[in-house]
Amino acid sequence: DAKTTQPPSMDCAEGRAANLPCNHSTISGNEYVYWYRQIHSQGPQYIIHGLKNNETNEMASLIITEDRKSSTLILPHATLRDTAVYYCIVRVSGGYQKVTFGTGTKLQVIP
Amino acid sequence: DTGVSQDPRHKITKRGQNVTFRCDPISEHNRLYWYRQTLGQGPEFLTYFQNEAQLEKSRLLSDRFSAERPKGSFSTLEIQRTEQGDSAMYLCASSRQQGGYEQYFGPGTRLTVT
């Protein structure tokens, strides 16, 4: 799995968009970008994944640069419940794949 | 879809004792994973099952650790002769064999070895 780099922490005002960056400069052509988050004392929660096109679901949007070397997870209207550690992971999709987590970004949503 | 469940949620044990944790995956998921997470770190992969077959084990899984999934449904993780270094959150996840392969995690079992 390609290595990812994320800032260790970020703050975001409640109601504003939270933009969480991730660098993955060594990503391979068949590797997807996945995002998970982990709220305190809970298991990680899948958020979204994509290959090269931007993706959106009910939780978030994923913007992947054209060269695929970086991406941004966007929470459009952050709430206090979005306070969590966010993990950016790159991995091949298909067959069995364990998830290799780094240390993620601790997002603190501020009232 | 009732989610992945784990039991117990918390376990305190004395060094040298054996402990066993249970994971019930989402019913239609045939893949099951165990992870371990220590404070301030992301989860680390321990082992993986497809149906009842254990297909990969991390070198983190010492001889004191054993995992089973006898009927391809629930799984157990046993730690023998626990050590203080085993204190961690033990997470279970499951996924489908087809589709996006996203993994769904349970709430975890927090183990404290005194």
Side-chain angles (χ1 to χ4, degrees):
Chain A
D1 291 348
K3 185 175 178 178
T4 62
T5 304
Q6 298 178 256
S9 64
M10 293 180 62
D11 291 339
C12 177
E14 188 178 18
R16 304 297 293 269
N19 297 281
L20 292 94
C22 180
N23 288 322
H24 32 79
S25 59
T26 60
I27 191 169
S28 301
N30 62 345
E31 288 182 314
Y32 286 67
V33 181
Y34 282 75
W35 284 83
Y36 286 77
R37 74 179 181 183
Q38 188 172 23
I39 296 169
H40 183 63
S41 295
Q42 297 183 20
Q45 177 189 23
Y46 164 80
I47 301 173
I48 198 168
H49 74 283
L51 182 63
K52 54 184 178 181
N53 298 320
N54 297 339
E55 302 287 344
T56 296
N57 63 19
E58 65 277 5
M59 290 182 67
S61 295
L62 173 61
I63 308 298
I64 304 173
T65 58
E66 192 169 345
D67 63 7
R68 301 206 328 118
K69 293 184 177 182
S70 64
S71 61
T72 302
L73 179 75
I74 300 172
L75 308 178
H77 306 285
T79 71
L80 298 179
R81 288 175 294 181
D82 292 322
T83 292
V85 178
Y86 288 77
Y87 297 99
C88 168
I89 295 144
V90 291
R91 49 188 278 247
V92 175
S93 183
Y96 132 75
Q97 280 294 323
K98 65 189 178 192
V99 181
T100 301
F101 291 87
T103 52
T105 295
K106 169 69 175 175
L107 175 69
Q108 182 72 49
V109 180
I110 302 168
Chain B
D1 182 345
T2 58
V4 178
S5 61
Q6 293 186 246
D7 183 71
R9 295 291 309 277
H10 304 274
K11 178 71 176 179
I12 300 174
T13 191
K14 295 188 176 184
R15 189 175 54 190
Q17 298 294 304
N18 299 342
V19 294
T20 300
F21 310 140
R22 175 178 171 127
C23 170
D24 287 89
I26 294 171
S27 58
E28 63 266 28
H29 288 183
N30 65 340
R31 291 180 172 167
L32 187 146
Y33 311 76
W34 285 98
Y35 293 81
R36 180 174 71 184
Q37 185 174 27
T38 53
L39 200 62
Q41 302 297 313
E44 297 173 293
F45 170 78
L46 291 178
T47 190
Y48 154 71
F49 290 86
Q50 181 162 308
N51 299 312
E52 65 275 11
Q54 187 174 19
L55 298 185
E56 184 172 345
K57 294 193 292 185
S58 163
R59 53 189 169 82
L60 292 175
L61 213 65
S62 75
D63 291 345
R64 297 183 297 106
F65 288 69
S66 62
E68 294 183 343
R69 195 182 182 199
K71 298 181 180 179
S73 56
F74 73 90
S75 176
T76 58
L77 177 68
E78 181 183 16
I79 308 174
Q80 296 182 327
R81 304 181 303 282
T82 53
E83 301 173 356
Q84 287 188 321
D86 297 330
S87 295
M89 175 78 85
Y90 290 84
L91 293 159
C92 175
S94 69
S95 70
R96 298 176 191 274
Q97 189 162 349
Q98 288 81 31
Y101 309 100
E102 54 265 27
Q103 295 179 18
Y104 295 87
F105 284 78
T109 295
R110 179 164 296 283
L111 173 67
T112 302
V113 182
T114 61

